[in-house]
Amino acid sequence: FKLMVGYPSQTGLVEVAMRTTFDKYPEVSTKATGAEILAMRKLVRKVPAASHVEDYAMRLVRATQPDGTHATPTSKKYLEAGAGPRGLLSILHAAKARALAHGEFYVSSDHVRAVAKQALRHRIQRNLQAEAEDMTADRILDAILTEVKEGLPK
């Protein structure tokens, strides 16, 4: 999973400096025990995803593979290599966690779309054309997300 974190604000940067350049460090408290984290992980794995949602996630991953049967015009034009099985696992686990975090008890295609860029942006390799045209991984994935339709393929 790769989240894009920008630079801190001026105030935030000063706060980082203040917290890390003095002898006294801020108090740290436990938010979850190891057992609680394992229980949350187990709960996430129990969230169901319908077969058409799993298929949609699989087609998104396969669409990043420029030489594959599900390749899109964008992946053929801008990618050297795409995501593999771990990309699919990352999407499905994150979509399940997102569903729970939003108080829902099943995974939808919306959840898959919401986590796809974070799960895949570091799993694709742009080609020279993408670099020359300043096509970032996120721009490429945005295009692929519009090219791959949800639901079962016809």
Side-chain angles (χ1 to χ4, degrees):
F1 223 71
K2 181 178 179 184
L3 300 177
M4 302 301 280
V5 179
Y7 293 109
S9 66
Q10 185 173 341
T11 305
L13 188 57
V14 170
E15 180 72 19
V16 168
M18 297 302 286
R19 288 181 180 218
T20 59
T21 59
F22 290 98
D23 285 339
K24 185 177 181 202
Y25 286 94
E27 292 291 322
V28 177
S29 62
T30 302
K31 298 298 178 190
T33 66
E36 289 170 332
I37 292 170
L38 290 175
M40 286 185 266
R41 183 174 152 183
K42 190 174 183 180
L43 179 62
V44 165
R45 290 174 181 261
K46 289 182 179 182
V47 176
S51 60
H52 74 278
V53 174
E54 289 177 340
D55 183 75
Y56 175 59
M58 178 276 301
R59 287 184 291 111
L60 281 175
V61 170
R62 297 287 304 270
T64 68
Q65 301 165 358
D67 297 327
T69 56
H70 292 86
T72 68
T74 299
S75 60
K76 290 176 183 178
K77 183 174 181 179
Y78 293 118
L79 294 180
E80 185 71 30
R86 290 190 309 163
L88 177 59
L89 298 176
S90 180
I91 287 176
L92 290 174
H93 285 135
K96 289 177 176 205
R98 183 177 178 85
L100 282 179
H102 285 88
E104 298 170 14
F105 302 105
Y106 62 90
V107 178
S108 71
S109 296
D110 290 339
H111 298 126
V112 169
R113 267 191 306 281
V115 302
K117 287 196 302 190
Q118 294 89 334
L120 299 177
R121 67 170 50 111
H122 66 294
R123 298 180 187 278
I124 61 173
Q125 182 181 351
R126 298 178 308 142
N127 63 21
L128 290 175
Q129 183 167 359
E131 290 184 32
E133 294 182 26
D134 198 28
M135 286 294 289
T136 64
D138 281 5
R139 287 179 63 199
I140 293 167
L141 290 169
D142 281 336
I144 290 172
L145 281 162
T146 62
E147 292 168 326
V148 177
K149 305 303 179 201
E150 62 181 278
L152 294 173
K154 293 180 169 84

